[in-house]
Amino acid sequence: MEAKNIISKLKPIIIVILLFSLVFFLRAEAASISGVPDQMKTYFQEDSGLPYFSEMDSYYNYRLTENFIEHGYTGDIIKNGTNWDLHSYFPPGRSADYPPLLIWVTALLYYLANIFGQYSLLVVSFWTPAIIASLCVIPAYFFVKRISNEYGGITAGILVGVSTFYFSHTFAGFFDTDMFNMIMPLLVVWFFSESITSTESRRKMLFAVLAALSMFVFSLAWEGWWYIFYLVIAAAIVYMLALYIVGVGINNLFKNPFKIIRDNFESWLKHSNKKQWLMERPILLPLIIFVVLGLVFISLFWGTSVFTALLQPISATKLQAATQATSYPNVFISVGELQIPNIAAVIADVGGFIPFVFGLLGVFMFFWNLRIKNAKGKGKGKPPKKDRKPKRERKSRRRRKEPKDVVQEEQTKVESVKTPEMRSKYLYYAILFSIWLLITAYAFTKGVRFVEAFSLPISLCAGIFVGFIADYLKGQIKNTNYHVIAMAIIIAVVCIMPVSSANTLANSVVPGADDAMVNSMYWVKNNTAENAVMTSWWDFGHLFAAKADRGVTFDGGSQNNARAYWVGKALFTNNENLSAGILKMLATSGDSGYTTLESYTNNTGKTVEIMDKILVTDKSKAENIMTSQYGLTAEQAQNVSQYTNPTNPNPDVFVTSLDMVGKAGWWSYFGSWNFTNGNSTNYIYALAQANATSENNEVTIMGQGNNVTLKISGTNVTGGLQVSKNKVAPPHRIVFISNGTKQYDQTVNNQSTFSIFVVQQDNNLITVAMSRELEDSMFTRLFFMQGSGLTHFKLAHKEPSEGISEVMVWNVS
């Protein structure tokens, strides 16, 4: 008996350990980078054998953590009392005040790990997300177990731990703040719910304090903490109103909607002991403790910015706005996580169809159980006449005595649901999860990124529904062993899809960087001046700052500004002088040139028109253009030219890379922005390896994936895109480039919308079909033509050194 009691007490601990192990080892599988062929794995690994991080924000988090460990604060310097990052958005840099929980937790794990051995910060950072994210199974299990039963808790723990979108942002090597986005909201909601549903005042106050502390910790983890803060407040207020309506009736409430406030205020005024009055308010007491303590804790750390955070719901509704305060395009429309998902994507990202449906049914069951009548016999209709037994038989049946244990079990089961306390809890949870689902469902209309928040209540409710099923089957399956088997099958059916998806995802991970990019960054670090500034499209900005230790023009934390237009234009324009002028200006004075000019023109389109003319010439001519053609005073022109045409520009390093071929649709969209119409067009490349075969003095070149087919007979070149079996669409131009030298350039069809480049480098051959607008763009001339004929861009380094280079580093003069 004693052994059984020990096992019974250890059972929750054993279950939690098993749940944690399941979701952790699934995340740990990402470290094997099974998505990369074995012969290529070293290409995606650090010298130590550790894979590169999976995405670029991880390098920003890593750099701030490294700063914190090295000198005690996250910035490169302290500027006017603020942590200041000199690498990002250079110049002038930007604030490095950042939710510090990730940095603190990682630093703590780093110090703990090095007590037992020697582990680099890179290794600790790589594994931290897998450890922290897997802890979410603990509150998920205990929270849902408390609401339903053990089976519901197990299901919720698994579903929360492997929720598809969440898992895809928290496996080993994805070092970002997402790791806290399940466990911290769970702790807040769980503790607050305990404070609301508890009947003992001390427990109410204790759990309300724990909820407030959890809310404070969540604010240290993510800037979007406020949504949980508002959620629990809304749930408590609606719950109070619901109980009041039950008491006075909905009609009476509508007659005097402020009656509840007035009655409570009068009750408080008349009560001789105000503290006792508050203690007698089972919902108001924990709500006040949570709100007051939560705001006090958060304000003590964040200061008055807490009030700015509380106003974030207003700005969050505007994420899909097409433009900013000026006419520059909004880069957020190119960010994949801010694209609006369809219902199929939402279902997939929460774990699949069954968890999604079970989650909705879980909420429904709370409301369904509220329909049970208290009066004995109410709500039970008569059976169909054909199923009724003869009156005599029914009468005698009533005299029979049911076995005592069966009667007791059924009575306990029904009464547990009928009790006012249990029905009150069901009402609270029905309100809580309904509001939670509605708030987060609205959030994902602002971007697929917010499906992560929606998946949490869905997963919990799916676990709760499994718990309801377990209770129902307990009355149908009397054999305990059979009941356990049945529930094991149900849990497997519900969880198999998200677990399988998590396993597939973990085994298909490919790091976000490779040796070509990282070696190029090390070259920059070792071969350029310390004040050199790096410019490229924004995606790799964090990697540049971390590996090259140089300032970057913009990155994943500073991409939504006018620099996206100017860098896009530097890539898209066919004017080398303009491209170099833009890059020189950004590297030396940042935004000052065009912002100063716009303060005089008050017109973004006019500002851009002037900039196009003054960036291609010297300082004196630029000032003359502004005064003679656009009416600026000499002083105004000088104020602008000191930034647009700097006398002593910073060394400027420009990086072109293979990934930018696939991203051309976006940098060309921003770079060709029409300020009159407020719109633009995406222009694209289609690149493919090619085969060349020779037969009867005719060479045939075919792209393996982009439908390019060309035939060369002597000096005659024909072909284009194979649009059908017997039809080839002719291009505007056909260009052959061999080892950086243009060998052939012929206009074929002036009506065509695309052009074809054939690039041969050493023994490597590719074909590139591209939008006609890109054929003379600076990116085409830099990346595919390797800078042939350019004077302001000098190739300084490329990786690999042979074949078609993936990364090219350019010195801009």
Side-chain angles (χ1 to χ4, degrees):
M1 183 64 71
E2 187 176 345
K4 284 186 177 181
N5 288 336
I6 294 174
I7 292 174
S8 178
K9 291 179 180 179
L10 291 177
K11 189 176 179 181
I13 299 174
I14 295 170
I15 290 174
V16 163
I17 292 173
L18 292 175
L19 290 174
F20 176 86
S21 300
L22 170 65
V23 300
F24 173 77
F25 285 117
L26 282 170
R27 285 178 166 83
E29 183 60 31
S32 66
I33 53 173
S34 301
V36 178
D38 290 341
Q39 65 273 20
M40 290 288 293
K41 284 187 177 180
T42 57
Y43 187 65
F44 292 93
Q45 293 174 333
E46 304 273 359
D47 292 339
S48 63
L50 187 75
Y52 295 119
F53 285 130
S54 299
E55 52 79 54
M56 295 305 103
D57 285 352
S58 299
Y59 285 100
Y60 179 70
N61 295 321
Y62 169 77
R63 187 165 59 83
L64 295 193
T65 306
E66 187 177 42
N67 284 344
F68 179 74
I69 290 174
E70 286 182 356
H71 49 243
Y73 49 89
T74 56
D76 296 317
I77 61 171
I78 299 293
K79 180 179 178 181
N80 298 325
T82 300
N83 282 291
W84 203 255
D85 184 357
L86 295 175
H87 287 74
S88 178
Y89 203 65
F90 187 92
R94 66 188 179 104
S95 170
D97 280 342
Y98 188 72
L101 187 63
L102 176 143
I103 293 162
W104 291 352
V105 168
T106 307
L108 175 62
L109 292 177
Y110 171 74
Y111 289 126
L112 291 175
N114 281 278
I115 293 174
F116 304 99
Q118 291 185 337
Y119 299 94
S120 69
L121 177 60
L122 204 61
V123 170
V124 175
S125 301
F126 187 89
W127 287 103
T128 294
I131 296 169
I132 300 300
S134 299
L135 292 174
C136 69
V137 302
I138 300 173
Y141 167 73
F142 285 109
F143 182 31
V144 174
K145 179 177 180 288
R146 177 82 167 164
I147 297 173
S148 58
N149 50 48
E150 208 160 60
Y151 298 106
I154 292 171
T155 306
I158 296 172
L159 292 179
V160 169
V162 299
S163 174
T164 304
F165 190 94
Y166 178 60
F167 186 91
S168 70
H169 286 64
T170 55
F171 51 75
F174 200 111
F175 183 51
D176 207 351
T177 55
D178 293 77
M179 66 181 80
F180 301 109
N181 287 355
M182 288 294 193
I183 186 170
M184 294 315 306
L186 260 171
L187 289 174
V188 174
V189 174
W190 178 26
F191 290 146
F192 187 77
S193 297
E194 286 292 329
S195 71
I196 290 291
T197 57
S198 295
T199 56
E200 186 184 344
S201 295
R202 287 185 179 180
R203 282 178 59 85
K204 280 184 173 295
M205 291 188 288
L206 172 63
F207 281 110
V209 171
L210 290 175
L213 285 171
S214 300
M215 191 73 259
F216 165 63
V217 175
F218 191 27
S219 76
L220 301 177
W222 186 43
E223 294 172 346
W225 58 267
W226 47 263
Y227 94 91
I228 286 292
F229 183 75
Y230 284 129
L231 165 67
V232 295
I233 293 174
I237 292 174
V238 174
Y239 181 47
M240 280 193 292
L241 287 172
L243 291 179
Y244 192 79
I245 289 171
V246 171
V248 305
I250 186 70
N251 292 330
N252 291 329
L253 181 66
F254 281 141
K255 288 178 182 177
N256 191 349
F258 299 104
K259 188 174 187 299
I260 183 173
I261 300 174
R262 187 188 64 196
D263 289 351
N264 276 281
F265 184 68
E266 290 178 353
S267 173
W268 177 77
L269 287 176
K270 294 176 181 178
H271 206 286
S272 58
N273 189 328
K274 302 297 188 288
K275 179 181 177 181
Q276 183 62 33
W277 178 90
L278 186 60
M279 297 291 287
E280 293 170 355
R281 297 299 180 274
I283 303 171
L284 193 60
L285 173 64
L287 179 60
I288 290 176
I289 293 174
F290 170 77
V291 172
V292 173
L293 279 184
L295 290 179
V296 168
F297 292 150
I298 296 171
S299 298
L300 287 175
F301 185 86
W302 290 108
T304 56
S305 63
V306 63
F307 301 107
T308 303
L310 292 174
L311 295 176
Q312 284 299 305
I314 299 173
S315 59
T317 62
K318 301 177 182 178
L319 279 174
Q320 293 298 324
T323 58
Q324 301 167 262
T326 67
S327 299
Y328 287 105
N330 187 343
V331 181
F332 284 158
I333 65 173
S334 69
V335 179
E337 290 188 353
L338 293 178
Q339 303 303 306
I340 300 174
N342 56 35
I343 187 63
V346 172
I347 291 173
D349 283 337
V350 301
F353 182 75
I354 294 177
F356 179 78
V357 172
F358 270 43
L360 298 180
L361 290 175
V363 179
F364 171 76
M365 287 304 298
F366 282 124
F367 288 103
W368 181 261
N369 279 314
L370 292 175
R371 296 176 67 254
I372 297 175
K373 306 295 183 181
N374 284 325
K376 188 175 180 180
K378 289 282 183 76
K380 295 181 180 180
K382 291 183 179 181
K385 191 170 183 179
K386 63 184 179 63
D387 293 333
R388 298 180 197 171
K389 296 184 179 180
K391 189 174 181 180
R392 185 186 300 263
E393 185 179 348
R394 284 188 281 115
K395 185 175 181 180
S396 62
R397 180 70 178 242
R398 284 196 296 270
R399 293 173 181 167
R400 296 178 189 173
K401 189 174 183 181
E402 293 284 352
K404 186 175 182 180
D405 56 340
V406 174
V407 173
Q408 184 69 31
E409 181 182 346
E410 292 299 319
Q411 184 177 353
T412 302
K413 181 181 173 184
V414 174
E415 290 302 319
S416 67
V417 178
K418 287 182 177 180
T419 58
E421 180 184 343
M422 197 64 200
R423 284 167 57 78
S424 178
K425 287 183 179 181
Y426 277 169
L427 176 61
Y428 168 72
Y429 287 122
I431 292 169
L432 170 68
F433 285 109
S434 295
I435 295 175
W436 200 348
L437 286 172
L438 288 172
I439 289 175
T440 52
Y442 172 75
F444 67 63
T445 65
K446 303 303 172 184
V448 68
R449 173 73 179 81
F450 303 101
V451 174
E452 181 178 79
F454 178 74
S455 66
L456 179 53
I458 277 287
S459 298
L460 295 175
C461 289
I464 290 167
F465 185 65
V466 170
F468 281 125
I469 293 174
D471 285 339
Y472 173 77
L473 291 181
K474 196 170 185 179
Q476 308 301 315
I477 304 174
K478 303 302 180 184
N479 187 300
T480 304
N481 293 330
Y482 290 163
H483 180 259
V484 171
I485 293 171
M487 289 312 303
I489 293 172
I490 290 172
I491 292 174
V493 168
V494 175
C495 298
I496 187 65
M497 185 179 293
V499 170
S500 177
S501 295
N503 183 60
T504 300
L505 195 153
N507 281 281
S508 61
V509 168
V510 176
D514 55 36
D515 282 350
M517 182 63 77
V518 173
N519 289 342
S520 297
M521 296 306 102
Y522 289 150
W523 184 92
V524 171
K525 183 176 183 179
N526 296 324
N527 294 276
T528 63
E530 290 187 4
N531 67 331
V533 182
M534 299 188 67
T535 304
S536 186
W537 198 236
W538 62 266
D539 305 74
F540 280 101
H542 290 319
L543 177 71
F544 293 175
K547 294 293 187 181
D549 192 23
R550 295 292 182 268
V552 298
T553 301
F554 70 151
D555 52 36
S558 58
Q559 76 273 48
N560 192 31
N561 55 73
R563 294 190 186 189
Y565 166 76
W566 290 108
V567 175
K569 188 161 191 171
L571 290 163
F572 181 73
T573 183
N574 60 4
N575 187 327
E576 182 189 2
N577 290 332
L578 177 59
S579 182
I582 290 171
L583 297 175
K584 179 175 67 173
M585 174 188 68
L586 292 176
T588 306
S589 59
D591 309 310
S592 299
Y594 45 83
T595 55
T596 302
L597 179 56
E598 186 155 351
S599 70
Y600 302 139
T601 65
N602 295 311
N603 184 308
T604 305
K606 181 63 68 176
T607 297
V608 171
E609 178 186 327
I610 299 172
M611 294 286 290
D612 287 348
K613 294 183 179 181
I614 65 177
L615 287 172
V616 298
T617 188
D618 60 39
K619 189 172 184 178
S620 175
K621 290 179 181 178
E623 291 175 3
N624 182 59
I625 289 171
M626 286 185 279
T627 55
S628 64
Q629 297 183 28
Y630 293 98
L632 271 69
T633 66
E635 182 182 0
Q636 290 174 335
Q638 290 171 5
N639 289 340
V640 173
S641 66
Q642 66 177 320
Y643 302 122
T644 58
N645 305 79
T647 304
N648 297 304
N650 286 329
D652 190 10
V653 177
F654 192 55
V655 179
T656 56
S657 52
L658 182 61
D659 64 286
M660 294 168 69
V661 174
K663 297 166 185 171
W666 284 120
W667 56 252
S668 67
Y669 176 88
F670 297 114
S672 61
W673 185 257
N674 187 312
F675 288 90
T676 301
N677 300 327
N679 58 26
S680 191
T681 304
N682 305 93
Y683 302 111
I684 61 173
Y685 297 101
L687 180 150
Q689 289 288 330
N691 286 330
T693 58
S694 179
E695 184 177 354
N696 299 327
N697 296 321
E698 185 177 73
V699 177
T700 300
I701 297 176
M702 299 191 69
Q704 301 174 23
N706 60 1
N707 295 329
V708 169
T709 177
L710 299 173
K711 292 186 182 298
I712 306 171
S713 180
T715 59
N716 186 36
V717 180
T718 59
L721 290 182
Q722 190 85 43
V723 294
S724 66
K725 184 176 181 180
N726 299 313
K727 184 178 180 181
V728 175
H732 173 242
R733 279 170 66 190
I734 296 176
V735 180
F736 280 78
I737 303 161
S738 177
N739 293 317
T741 302
K742 188 186 295 185
Q743 302 289 341
Y744 179 87
D745 186 350
Q746 185 66 45
T747 299
V748 178
N749 187 329
N750 283 322
Q751 305 304 313
S752 181
T753 60
F754 67 95
S755 293
I756 291 175
F757 276 42
V758 179
V759 182
Q760 182 265 327
Q761 184 70 32
D762 300 322
N763 295 318
N764 201 349
L765 184 69
I766 63 170
T767 57
V768 188
M770 65 186 73
S771 300
R772 175 175 171 173
E773 290 77 5
L774 293 172
E775 62 187 17
D776 288 322
S777 70
M778 286 304 299
F779 181 80
T780 298
R781 296 166 71 183
L782 289 168
F783 189 77
F784 294 116
M785 299 180 66
Q786 299 190 56
S788 177
L790 300 179
T791 58
H792 295 296
F793 293 82
K794 298 298 181 184
L795 182 60
H797 182 77
K798 62 179 182 178
E799 291 278 347
S801 57
E802 295 184 359
I804 305 297
S805 301
E806 290 185 34
V807 182
M808 300 181 194
V809 179
W810 305 86
N811 287 327
V812 185
S813 61

